[in-house]
Amino acid sequence: MSARPLAAQTGAAHAAILGLGAYRPARVVPNAEVVEAIDSSDEWIQQRSGIKERRFASPEETVQMMSVAASRRALEHAGIDPRQVDGVIVATVSHFMQLPAVAPLVATELGCEQPVAFDVSAACAGFCHGVALAADMVRAGSARHVLVVGVERLTDMLDRTDRGTAFIFGDGAGAVVVGPSETPGIGPVVWGSDGEQYDLIRSRDDWRDVMAAETPVTPHLVMQGSAVFRWASFTMAKIGLQAIDRAGLTVDDLDLFVPHQANMRITDAMARAMKLPAGVRIARDIAEQGNTSAASIPLALQRMVDDGEARSGDRALLIAFGAGLAYAAQVVVVP
Ligand code: UT7
C-alpha cells in the first residue's frame, strides 16, 4: 500500500457576491383580486402582513425561464461570461419534476460549459443556503464562479381558497454570482433546522397519496401561520445577532437588513429584538412582491439597489427562514 497522501485542495482566500439580478413576473395582482375567495379585505391583509400586491407568473414564466432571466442580469452585473461559471445552485421548492434538478437546464440555457449544477431544497431559507455553499466552494477551490438562484412559482402550489396562505405567496426569481475576492464579502453562515416543527409549513399531501386518490388534487402548501410567526419573530433575531457577531461586527456596522420577506410584522419584530440602529435601512419588498420563498431575499436586495437605498460596499444582514423548519443567516457586502 502506498503511503503517498492525497493532494490538498485550496481555493480563493475570500469569496464575495460579484453581481446581482432579479426577475419579476409581468402580472401584478393587487389584494382586491385575492380577497373574495378567502372572505378577507385589502385592509386586513395590509395590516397583518404588509402586502399590497404580488406577482403571479404566466405559463411562459416557468421556473427555468425566470431563473435564466435573473441569472443573465446577475452575470452582466458581475461582468462574468457564462463560460466562466463552474457551479450553478438553484434553490427552489416549486420545480415540479421530481428528477432531475432544474439547475443543469438553467446552466445549459445560459451557455455555461458543464458546471456542477444542482438544486437545493431548503424552502424559504434556500437562497442563503446556496450563498453559504457557493462561498465555501470558492474558498475550498471546488469552483471559482458559482451562480446562486432563488426561484419560485408558488402559485402552482397555492389553494386560492385557503385564508392562511392564498394572500401571502407569489412568484419570481433572484440570482447572484459568487466568486473570488481580495477581501471577505460573505461572512460566516449561522444555519440549522428544527425537524420537531416539520409540520408547520409543508405540502398538504404526499405525491403518492395524491396519485392513489380517486380525484387527484395538487398537494397544496399549508401553514400554521401563528406558530411560524412566533418562531420567526423571536428565534430568528438571535440567529441574526449570531451572524453579525461571527462576522466580527456589531449592529452599528450594518447598513442594511434584508430578511426573508415573510411578513412585514416579522421583519419589524426582528429589527426591534436585535435593536438595529435607526440608520439601518430595512428591505420591505413584501409590500409589492408578497412572499416568494427562496427568491425573496435577492428580489428585496435588488429593489433596494434600484431605489438607491443599497449601495455597492454596504454591509447587509441576510436572514432566511421557513419550512423544515430551516434557517440561515450571514452578513454580505453588496456588490
Ligand atoms: O415564508 C415562510 C415563513 N412564513 C411565515 O413566516 C408566515 C408567518 N405567519 C404569518 O405571516 C401570519 O401568521 C399570517 C399573516 C399568515 C396570519 O396573521 P395572524 O395575525 O397570525 O392571524 P391569525 O391566523 O392569528 O388570525 C387572526 C384572525 C382570526 O380571527 P379571530 O379568531 O381573531 O376572530 C382569523 O380567523 O384573523 C382571521 N383571519 C383572517 N381574516 C381575514 C385569518 N386569515 C384571514 C384572512 N382574512 N385571510
Side-chain angles (χ1 to χ4, degrees):
M1 195 172 64
S2 159
R4 187 185 293 187
L6 300 185
Q9 176 180 267
T10 52
H14 306 293
I17 295 177
L18 308 180
L20 169 71
Y23 179 83
R24 298 177 200 274
R27 187 169 161 230
V28 176
V29 178
N31 287 342
E33 250 190 74
V34 298
V35 291
E36 203 181 305
I38 54 173
D39 185 22
S40 188
S41 67
D42 177 39
E43 193 193 2
W44 189 95
I45 294 173
Q46 288 205 43
Q47 264 181 13
R48 295 293 177 128
S49 69
I51 299 170
K52 294 180 189 153
E53 61 194 31
R54 73 287 289 142
R55 303 281 181 113
F56 282 1
S58 68
E60 292 74 34
E61 291 170 316
T62 62
V63 163
Q64 181 180 343
M65 179 267 162
M66 293 193 288
S67 299
V68 168
S71 299
R72 285 206 173 112
R73 290 169 191 169
L75 287 165
E76 195 181 328
H77 183 208
I80 297 289
D81 188 276
R83 286 168 300 187
Q84 292 173 266
V85 171
D86 49 6
V88 176
I89 299 173
V90 178
T92 188
V93 291
S94 44
H95 168 59
F96 286 102
M97 286 287 281
Q98 184 73 41
L99 86 155
V102 73
L105 281 178
V106 171
T108 299
E109 193 179 338
L110 285 169
C112 306
E113 291 178 342
Q114 305 202 356
V116 58
F118 57 93
D119 293 358
V120 164
S121 177
C124 304
F127 176 75
C128 288
H129 280 60
V131 169
L133 287 172
D136 286 351
M137 288 160 74
V138 169
R139 289 186 294 240
S142 57
R144 189 159 170 83
H145 292 109
V146 184
L147 188 64
V148 180
V149 182
V151 58
E152 303 290 3
R153 266 180 67 102
L154 293 171
T155 44
D156 289 336
M157 312 174 67
L158 270 193
D159 176 351
R160 308 293 169 98
T161 64
D162 176 10
R163 295 182 102 199
T165 55
F167 65 94
I168 296 177
F169 295 102
D171 305 328
V176 292
V177 179
V178 174
S181 164
E182 283 174 12
T183 52
I186 298 173
V189 68
V190 178
W191 53 358
S193 65
D194 180 2
E196 297 274 339
Q197 306 201 71
Y198 191 80
D199 283 342
L200 293 191
I201 316 174
R202 62 180 180 87
S203 288
R204 192 179 50 207
D205 309 295
D206 181 313
W207 277 106
R208 289 164 301 184
D209 298 335
V210 169
M211 285 178 307
E214 231 163 79
T215 333
V217 285
T218 313
H220 291 124
L221 189 168
V222 288
M223 176 168 77
Q224 295 177 40
S226 308
V228 179
F229 190 102
R230 282 193 299 277
W231 169 77
S233 301
F234 300 111
T235 315
M236 286 305 104
K238 290 181 199 140
I239 299 299
L241 289 175
Q242 283 174 32
I244 297 168
D245 186 52
R246 294 215 46 215
L249 306 176
T250 72
V251 288
D252 295 321
D253 298 307
L254 289 181
D255 302 293
L256 311 173
F257 176 40
V258 191
H260 166 48
Q261 302 289 290
N263 184 315
M264 198 80 87
R265 288 158 56 219
I266 294 178
T267 297
D268 288 331
M270 287 192 292
R272 273 195 307 274
M274 289 189 289
K275 299 192 170 56
L276 295 187
V280 175
R281 298 178 293 283
I282 299 177
R284 300 193 179 281
D285 191 40
I286 190 166
E288 282 83 27
Q289 193 70 36
N291 176 340
T292 54
S293 187
S296 86
I297 287 182
L299 279 166
L301 183 56
Q302 182 70 63
R303 188 180 298 276
M304 295 184 94
V305 170
D306 294 345
D307 292 351
E309 280 188 293
R311 289 175 290 271
S312 179
D314 278 354
R315 285 184 273 202
L317 171 65
L318 315 182
I319 307 181
F321 52 88
L325 296 175
Y327 57 86
Q330 66 261 94
V331 177
V332 302
V333 177
V334 175

